[in-house]
Amino acid sequence: QVQLVESGGGSVQAGGSLRLSCTGTGYIRTYYMAWFRQSTGTLREGVAVIDGVGTTAYADSVKGRFTISRDNAKRTLYLQMNELNPEDTAMYYCAVKRTSGLAAVDIVRWGPGTQVNVSS
């Protein structure tokens, strides 16, 4: 059974960077993996997704600032976040998905989340 644990969240000033990690157990090599985020009072939104061979897609709000990557040997998903701004403040969740795209559908497993706070 797939289990996921995120790490790397924290507090940073606007313009700063953070790198999130998500390590999984179980077989996840052929699944899509994605990062979502949710701030207070909003719906969970897709941030970035990557397939098993490294093809990626991003939400318009993070294009050019965030980079998703994965290391299948380490069963780890990453999200490098640069040029952070206060609007990026949210709980960030990693997920294993059965299908591509940034919609929160066909989710195999969610991680528990890691908080990112960006101050101005």
Side-chain angles (χ1 to χ4, degrees):
Q1 188 175 5
V2 175
Q3 299 291 334
L4 302 170
V5 177
E6 303 96 335
S7 61
S11 297
V12 64
Q13 289 189 327
S17 299
L18 284 173
R19 188 193 195 202
L20 305 182
S21 299
C22 171
T23 300
T25 60
Y27 186 79
I28 58 175
R29 181 182 295 267
T30 59
Y31 283 111
Y32 295 87
M33 297 190 74
W35 289 99
F36 292 80
R37 65 185 181 186
Q38 186 171 20
S39 53
T40 303
T42 68
L43 296 175
R44 193 169 296 188
E45 64 169 346
V47 174
V49 62
I50 186 168
D51 69 9
V53 295
T55 304
T56 60
Y58 297 91
D60 288 343
S61 59
V62 305
K63 278 181 183 176
R65 300 188 299 122
F66 290 12
T67 302
I68 188 171
S69 61
R70 65 193 289 174
D71 185 330
N72 287 330
K74 295 182 179 179
R75 296 177 180 173
T76 301
L77 177 71
Y78 302 99
L79 186 67
Q80 178 67 45
M81 305 187 294
N82 299 328
E83 300 176 35
L84 285 160
N85 59 62
E87 289 70 37
D88 296 316
T89 293
M91 183 71 81
Y92 283 71
Y93 301 89
C94 71
V96 174
K97 299 186 68 191
R98 292 188 179 89
T99 56
S100 63
L102 294 172
V105 298
D106 295 326
I107 302 296
V108 174
R109 180 70 62 184
W110 292 102
T114 186
Q115 180 68 36
V116 171
N117 295 312
V118 184
S119 57
S120 57

